[in-house]
Amino acid sequence: MRKAIVFILFFILIGVFSACGVQDVAMERDENLARLGKVWGFAKYTHHAFISGGRCWDTELLELIPVIYHASAADVNGILYTWFAGLGEDGWEFAFWYDFSLTDFLAQWRESMAQWEVYADEIVDDPELREIIEAFRELYALFADAQAQGRDPDWALAMERFPQFAGIIPRFNPAMMAMDMRPVADLSWINEEYLGALAARLQRFNGVAAFNRSAGPVYFDAMGVPQFSNQQAYFDMDYGDKGYRLLGLFRLWNAMKYFYPHLGILDVVWNDLLVEYIPKMLAGTDRLSYEQILLMLSHHNRDSAHTVLMGTTFLREHFGRYLVPVQLIAAEGQLVVNNTVGRDNPLQRGDVILTINGRDMHEIAAEVLRYIPYPDEEKALAFLASPWAGGALTQGWQHTPLRSHTRDIALRVLRDGVALTLAVTGMVSHSPFPVAELQSHLILENNIGLINPSLYPEGGIRRIMDEFADTRGMIIDLRQRPVYSFGFFSELMLYLPEAPTLFARFSSAVPARPGWRMDEPYYRLAVQSAYAFSYDRPVVLLMDERTISYPETVIMYLRTNPNVTVIGQPSMGSNGNITGLPLPGGINMRFTALGFYTPEGGQTHRVGLTPDIRANYTIQGIAEGRDEIMEAAVAFILAG
């Protein structure tokens, strides 16, 4: 008996030590691959061999992966050094900080003018548009004349003559820009301890020379937004191929590292995520596991509706293709029915969702949140309730918590304090949800004007303001999407006259230094008009957690006027131009690439904008069909 026990213990110990050995080998492999991913990504966005399009960055990686996968830790740095040296001249000694010049600007302007000529008839028929374009032409001539004479433009004269372009002109005058160059990507891993002799070669980097990037992995538009259209989508990807799975992971991780403006306000250290996600990616062999890992990684950027992996089906297949036919809203820490679809729908406004098919709603929500980039815990439920969570309307992600694999869905709800079990028929995820019938504008009781900016009115703002001339006040509901073009709100400012005002700052990528940002001011333009009058009554902007992206810009733009008050809840906090990143498997990842900040440079991402007057929804108010934020706005105007 004693001998049997000894033998059992012996084999247990052998198994333990064997498992430890296997685990150590796997950890070393993952660390080696993470080192490869970092070095490859750095070279991809800085080395001339790739920026020029002379070498295929994907092919280089796919050839390196099996080598590094089977290499020992002692050999990895040597392999990477040899590979990097073999790329040829890096071109770093010809560095410039910023390579978007006045010459580039004039070339793009010429192209724009050629496009305008296509619409010559419309321009002639629209005196306001014709006036703007003529001003553009005069400013262009001022700049072009200076370039022809080999001198800098008269910036002061340009600002004096063209105050309506006060937000554009400073971009091309380094002295006026007051550029705030700051690093975002953490390159502390480029050190001798981690990379050996290769560190010295990479530490030489001091910027990329200005030249044609059109064939490279990234190029930039006039706003400094990165464009990744040269990166291959590999629609016929083999999802069991470790190389292509890692290519997808490395591409996403590096694009975010060097071009996402908000790495510094995440809840994680982006550098640490690569080695964490490598074994997760290697563990899968099919499409759904591949999509799952990419969604889990992108969730960490907390980019709200701007981050979406278009072309994925994981969420629909994992949580179900049938969804409960309701619109939700977050109130008092619960997901509450705000609207329903279908005559026989047993749900009512104000119903609090407790369970779906017997599973607790908060448990489901917690699982869903692992895959979507909600801003923070405070806004989590509001983001789940939002129809644009993760680009919902194009992906069928809306209300992912309220999904089922069967059309017949059992719901447990709380109605007026009583728990009820209801049988609901689900609709397929691509079914369109009816849009509420709205008017572009109307006059409410008590002579208060209301603008619904999701509907553009015939005649534009001029027609609206003519009708609102004698109103007691005006409300603009910016809880809606989409909203009018920025030109509409710029025209509205003709009726709210103020001097040119700094209303926001934005940061764009510095093409010459991947991982760095350039902060610039964003001015509210001052345009003169013969037809506009001064509207000196209260203007209220409605805002809640459905206010996201462009409507946030509009609020920042309009609230600079002393007549304007913002009422409601904090906005979602995801703003700035987005870009698209093709990923292997035919996926197109969208994410914020232009940072947006308060005029003082403060954070808006994740935290959102703060209302001047807080107003909240309540479950009782929703059940009664009331809009408590609208009510607060009306009360404010009447009190004034």
Side-chain angles (χ1 to χ4, degrees):
M1 183 66 179
R2 185 175 297 172
K3 287 185 178 180
I5 293 174
V6 171
F7 275 118
I8 291 171
L9 291 174
F10 177 72
F11 283 113
I12 290 174
L13 288 173
I14 289 177
V16 169
F17 284 121
S18 297
C20 290
V22 171
Q23 186 177 22
D24 289 343
V25 170
M27 289 178 62
E28 179 179 288
R29 176 205 67 199
D30 298 340
E31 290 284 356
N32 293 344
L33 290 170
R35 198 170 313 185
L36 166 62
K38 293 177 181 179
V39 172
W40 170 78
F42 182 81
K44 173 182 177 180
Y45 291 120
T46 63
H47 200 290
H48 276 202
F50 296 131
I51 296 175
S52 66
R55 291 210 188 196
C56 177
W57 44 90
D58 287 354
T59 299
E60 296 286 335
L61 177 66
L62 292 171
E63 291 177 352
L64 277 170
I65 285 174
V67 177
I68 299 299
Y69 187 94
H70 296 289
S72 67
D75 296 332
V76 167
N77 285 341
I79 294 169
L80 293 176
Y81 184 96
T82 301
W83 169 75
F84 187 84
L87 295 176
E89 178 56 55
D90 53 45
W92 293 343
E93 63 269 32
F94 305 106
F96 296 95
W97 274 103
Y98 185 60
D99 68 352
F100 187 83
S101 65
L102 184 60
T103 301
D104 300 319
F105 165 71
L106 292 172
Q108 292 191 19
W109 212 323
R110 281 193 296 271
E111 182 179 345
S112 296
M113 285 185 179
Q115 294 173 353
W116 288 339
E117 295 302 332
V118 176
Y119 304 101
D121 293 339
E122 287 85 345
I123 292 171
V124 169
D125 293 338
D126 188 332
E128 297 169 29
L129 182 58
R130 186 172 65 246
E131 181 181 340
I132 293 173
I133 290 182
E134 286 304 320
F136 264 109
R137 284 180 170 145
E138 290 180 35
L139 181 58
Y140 170 84
L142 184 70
F143 283 175
D145 181 62
Q147 185 192 40
Q149 298 181 34
R151 59 175 176 79
D152 286 339
D154 187 334
W155 303 108
L157 176 63
M159 291 289 286
E160 179 183 346
R161 286 181 53 187
F162 306 101
Q164 65 267 50
F165 303 134
I168 299 173
I169 295 171
R171 181 169 179 80
F172 307 100
N173 177 9
M176 296 172 68
M177 284 171 70
M179 291 190 297
D180 182 7
M181 309 292 293
R182 57 188 176 89
V184 175
D186 178 7
L187 300 180
S188 60
W189 55 271
I190 302 180
N191 61 72
E192 186 175 359
E193 181 180 358
Y194 186 65
L195 295 178
L198 178 58
R201 292 198 65 129
L202 301 188
Q203 286 168 348
R204 291 180 56 250
F205 177 68
N206 190 36
V208 180
F211 70 104
N212 187 348
R213 303 167 184 267
S214 60
V218 64
Y219 55 94
F220 302 87
D221 67 15
M223 290 290 289
V225 176
Q227 307 296 316
F228 301 97
S229 60
N230 290 331
Q231 304 208 29
Q232 298 299 309
Y234 303 108
F235 290 95
D236 56 350
M237 167 183 168
D238 176 2
Y239 293 96
D241 188 305
K242 290 181 172 57
Y244 281 94
R245 293 178 73 90
L246 290 176
L247 171 61
L249 178 65
F250 290 174
R251 187 185 291 182
L252 190 162
W253 185 86
N254 278 291
M256 292 290 296
K257 177 179 178 63
Y258 291 108
F259 302 107
Y260 183 58
H262 300 299
L263 289 183
I265 58 171
L266 304 185
D267 297 330
V268 294
V269 178
W270 194 255
N271 268 356
D272 296 344
L273 291 180
L274 189 58
V275 72
E276 176 185 336
Y277 275 82
I278 285 172
K280 295 176 181 178
M281 184 59 86
L282 292 177
T285 58
D286 61 357
R287 177 179 58 84
L288 289 183
S289 64
Y290 171 74
E291 293 180 359
Q292 180 183 26
I293 300 307
L294 295 181
L295 287 165
M296 290 174 66
L297 178 60
S298 65
H299 139 89
H300 291 292
N301 73 4
R302 302 305 178 93
D303 196 23
S304 302
H306 276 193
T307 286
V308 53
L309 271 64
M310 301 178 70
T312 61
T313 62
F314 171 79
L315 291 177
R316 184 174 67 235
E317 296 188 38
H318 185 71
F319 292 99
R321 66 187 300 259
Y322 299 102
L323 71 121
V324 178
V326 297
Q327 287 180 332
L328 297 175
I329 194 168
E332 301 180 39
Q334 303 288 342
L335 289 174
V336 184
V337 175
N338 193 42
N339 199 0
T340 62
V341 179
R343 291 182 180 178
D344 300 325
N345 193 330
L347 291 162
Q348 297 180 10
R349 286 175 58 96
D351 285 350
V352 176
I353 309 297
L354 300 178
T355 68
I356 177 168
N357 292 332
R359 191 177 176 196
D360 183 79
M361 192 67 255
H362 288 281
E363 178 186 332
I364 297 173
E367 182 181 358
V368 174
L369 290 173
R370 297 175 59 204
Y371 303 109
I372 62 176
Y374 67 99
D376 55 32
E377 297 303 324
E378 185 177 351
K379 292 187 172 71
L381 285 183
F383 187 60
L384 284 174
S386 168
W388 13 86
L393 296 183
T394 58
Q395 290 295 286
W397 290 12
Q398 62 269 40
H399 309 321
T400 300
L402 298 190
R403 285 187 172 275
S404 170
H405 292 286
T406 60
R407 187 181 289 273
D408 296 326
I409 305 171
L411 286 182
R412 187 85 169 158
V413 304
L414 189 66
R415 180 183 298 170
D416 297 328
V418 178
L420 304 174
T421 300
L422 305 175
V424 179
T425 301
M427 66 180 186
V428 294
S429 60
H430 61 267
S431 298
F433 199 99
V435 179
E437 293 185 5
L438 297 173
Q439 295 175 258
S440 63
H441 63 289
L442 68 157
I443 297 180
L444 306 174
E445 292 183 14
N446 301 303
N447 195 30
I448 296 173
L450 171 65
I451 296 177
N452 290 309
S454 58
L455 296 171
Y456 194 86
E458 182 181 350
I461 188 62
R462 188 170 180 176
R463 174 189 172 187
I464 292 177
M465 293 308 295
D466 284 346
E467 295 180 20
F468 286 7
D470 297 321
T471 53
R472 189 169 182 173
M474 178 169 55
I475 298 171
I476 304 174
D477 191 347
L478 286 161
R479 301 170 296 176
Q480 305 173 7
R481 286 190 72 182
V483 297
Y484 308 146
S485 69
F486 203 71
F488 178 92
F489 295 102
S490 296
E491 191 176 3
L492 176 61
M493 294 303 284
L494 299 177
Y495 299 85
L496 305 171
E498 279 285 301
T501 306
L502 178 67
F503 74 92
R505 297 187 70 88
F506 68 89
S507 75
S508 56
V510 179
R513 290 187 68 90
W516 285 64
R517 312 289 302 180
M518 179 175 64
D519 286 1
E520 300 183 48
Y522 212 157
Y523 288 89
R524 196 199 74 191
L525 306 181
V527 183
Q528 302 299 317
S529 171
Y531 64 79
F533 57 88
S534 179
Y535 188 86
D536 57 2
R537 266 115 326 141
V539 178
V540 175
L541 311 180
L542 303 188
M543 178 175 75
D544 67 7
E545 286 146 327
R546 291 171 293 182
T547 305
I548 186 169
S549 190
Y550 174 57
E552 294 179 292
T553 301
V554 170
I555 288 173
M556 296 175 73
Y557 185 75
L558 296 180
R559 78 188 312 180
T560 58
N561 190 280
N563 292 2
V564 174
T565 302
V566 182
I567 293 180
Q569 298 174 328
S571 63
M572 187 60 70
S574 182
N575 197 6
N577 295 27
I578 60 176
T579 190
L581 174 71
L583 293 172
I587 299 169
N588 183 31
M589 178 185 181
R590 300 170 61 192
F591 66 91
T592 299
L594 193 73
F596 227 82
Y597 315 91
T598 67
E600 300 76 28
Q603 178 180 343
T604 65
H605 196 72
R606 299 187 65 183
V607 298
L609 307 178
T610 302
D612 299 309
I613 299 174
R614 180 76 185 241
N616 295 314
Y617 303 108
T618 65
I619 296 173
Q620 180 179 346
I622 295 167
E624 294 171 355
R626 296 163 49 209
D627 184 341
E628 290 156 297
I629 291 180
M630 181 71 74
E631 292 175 357
V634 170
F636 173 80
I637 292 174
L638 294 179

